[in-house]
Amino acid sequence: MRLLNYVLKRLLYSIPVLIGVTLLVFIISHAIPGDPARMMAGQKASREAVQNLRHSMGLDRPLPEQYLRYVAGLAQGDLGKSIRNQRPVLDDLKDFFPATLELTMVSMLFCIAVGLPLGVISALRRNRPIDHTTRVFSVVGVSMPVFWLGLMLLLLFYRDLGWLPGSGRLDVGLSPPAHVTGMYLIDTLVEGSGEKFVNCLLHILLPAFCLSYVYLAIITRIVRSAMISVMGLDYITTARANGIREVVVVLKHGLKNAMIPTVTITGLSIGELLGGAILTETIFDWPGMGKYVVDSVNFLDFPAIMGFTLVVSLIYVLLNLAVDVLYAFLDPQIRY
């Protein structure tokens, strides 16, 4: 019951946060110089035509009124209509979200499958060659710009070696799988097409690694630091003195207690991967929300920009809540 009350309170507290996000993004997006009505009508359109278009889209109304109308639409589940294509923003996000979610999940799989073992091994082999190598790997990952890494991956694996495809989710000659989830890796398995599954897997490897490298390095460093702290505690020494196997000591007594900071950074990383896919999707021409919002920014499509930001902010709030709830399962001493 206490946990339920805590969850409900956190959800209520998130409402002002989301309202603040919408207000901040609304002010910033409208401060960008340019006229979306002029871009939509074309440079050769008459001034009267542009004014009529601005009036029809409500862009000639005072900014406070535009914002209140937008918030009123949000209360009814309406994210507005895209200026660029005149479609509901919610429909656009539904179309592009599965591609971004698929890329994020594969990237997070990279982070956990590689970062967790590397962090544990580095902690257990502290100040040895494997530890030094892992630390260099982590520092490089944290320091490397995503756009530069993406370009280098394309040059090496696509242009020079020709091992992996360079862009898109599927080869041009292959038709997309039947829409079930919108995530091609799952949909190709449901369809039973092994050729398409392998092709989709090859397409996602480069962008997933590019997107995950920074967070993979962060998770590795966090796991290493937490494991070093835990493995030096008295109860670990006691467990070893009682003859418990080392693998049990490391996994059951050490890693479990080192997971709280790891879970925190992992939960935040998922939200950052969703919101930070903008550069990666642009470089690899990945048709997800990141590329969608870049095109929207270029077109001064305010509703699309705000819709994207609001969705990512909501995911952040829910992930933070999920992380806090997981604490109680990892550490029985935590109560709400």
Side-chain angles (χ1 to χ4, degrees):
M1 191 65 183
R2 290 181 179 178
L3 180 59
L4 179 60
N5 291 335
Y6 173 79
V7 171
L8 292 177
K9 286 181 180 179
R10 284 289 300 270
L11 291 176
L12 289 175
Y13 292 157
S14 66
I15 294 176
V17 174
L18 296 176
I19 292 177
V21 168
T22 61
L23 179 60
L24 183 62
V25 176
F26 182 85
I27 294 174
I28 294 175
S29 61
H30 282 73
I32 299 174
D35 187 355
R38 167 61 67 182
M39 296 184 67
M40 188 174 178
Q43 296 300 321
K44 296 183 179 181
S46 64
R47 184 175 180 180
E48 182 180 357
V50 174
Q51 290 295 335
N52 291 335
L53 189 57
R54 295 185 81 252
H55 178 74
S56 65
M57 293 189 297
L59 297 176
D60 58 344
R61 294 172 180 169
L63 289 181
E65 182 181 346
Q66 292 185 45
Y67 177 72
L68 291 177
R69 286 168 60 90
Y70 180 74
V71 173
L74 286 180
Q76 302 175 5
D78 181 14
L79 295 179
K81 184 178 289 187
S82 171
I83 296 175
R84 181 161 51 101
N85 56 23
Q86 292 300 299
R87 289 188 63 200
V89 172
L90 186 59
D91 291 346
D92 282 345
L93 293 178
K94 286 180 180 179
D95 292 340
F96 291 106
F97 181 73
T100 298
L101 180 62
E102 181 179 47
L103 180 60
T104 300
M105 292 298 100
V106 176
S107 300
M108 183 50 59
L109 184 62
F110 269 133
C111 292
I112 296 174
V114 179
L116 201 61
L118 276 182
V120 173
I121 294 171
S122 181
L124 297 179
R125 300 291 184 269
R126 187 179 180 186
N127 294 328
R128 295 184 183 179
I130 183 64
D131 181 32
H132 296 313
T133 303
T134 300
R135 290 162 68 183
V136 170
F137 173 80
S138 300
V139 171
V140 171
V142 173
S143 308
M144 187 176 297
V146 173
F147 66 87
W148 185 86
L149 175 61
L151 293 175
M152 293 303 103
L153 290 174
L154 284 174
L155 289 174
L156 178 60
F157 292 100
Y158 173 61
R159 191 194 68 175
D160 296 339
L161 299 177
W163 290 355
L164 295 171
S167 62
R169 304 178 69 187
L170 201 64
D171 282 350
V172 177
L174 295 177
S175 60
H179 184 87
V180 179
T181 64
M183 293 183 282
Y184 281 10
L185 290 175
I186 297 177
D187 290 352
T188 51
L189 290 176
V190 173
E191 190 179 85
S193 175
E195 179 189 2
K196 289 183 181 179
F197 175 79
V198 172
N199 193 268
C200 293
L201 185 61
L202 292 176
H203 274 80
I204 204 173
L205 287 179
L206 285 183
F209 178 76
C210 178
L211 181 61
S212 67
Y213 190 19
V214 172
Y215 306 101
L216 163 63
I218 294 174
I219 289 175
T220 301
R221 291 168 63 89
I222 293 294
V223 172
R224 177 186 180 276
S225 177
M227 283 295 293
I228 289 175
S229 299
V230 169
M231 295 304 288
L233 297 178
D234 291 341
Y235 74 89
I236 297 292
T237 304
T238 304
R240 285 171 171 163
N242 289 332
I244 299 177
R245 289 186 304 165
E246 185 67 16
V247 65
V248 176
V249 173
V250 171
L251 297 180
K252 184 178 180 180
H253 300 285
L255 184 58
K256 182 180 178 181
N257 289 282
M259 283 301 293
I260 288 183
T262 306
V263 167
T264 302
I265 195 63
T266 301
L268 295 176
S269 296
I270 296 176
E272 291 177 5
L273 286 169
L274 281 169
I278 295 175
L279 285 175
T280 304
E281 291 185 0
T282 303
I283 293 170
F284 291 93
D285 195 26
W286 190 265
M289 289 198 307
K291 191 171 185 303
Y292 169 73
V293 77
V294 168
D295 295 338
S296 300
V297 169
N298 292 332
F299 208 87
L300 298 179
D301 192 346
F302 306 135
I305 298 170
M306 295 180 65
F308 168 81
T309 308
L310 187 62
V311 168
V312 173
S313 302
L314 179 61
I315 292 173
Y316 259 106
V317 170
L318 295 178
L319 286 173
N320 278 323
L321 178 59
V323 166
D324 288 346
V325 172
L326 280 175
Y327 286 165
F329 295 95
L330 293 172
D331 188 349
Q333 296 180 348
I334 295 178
R335 291 292 180 267
Y336 295 98

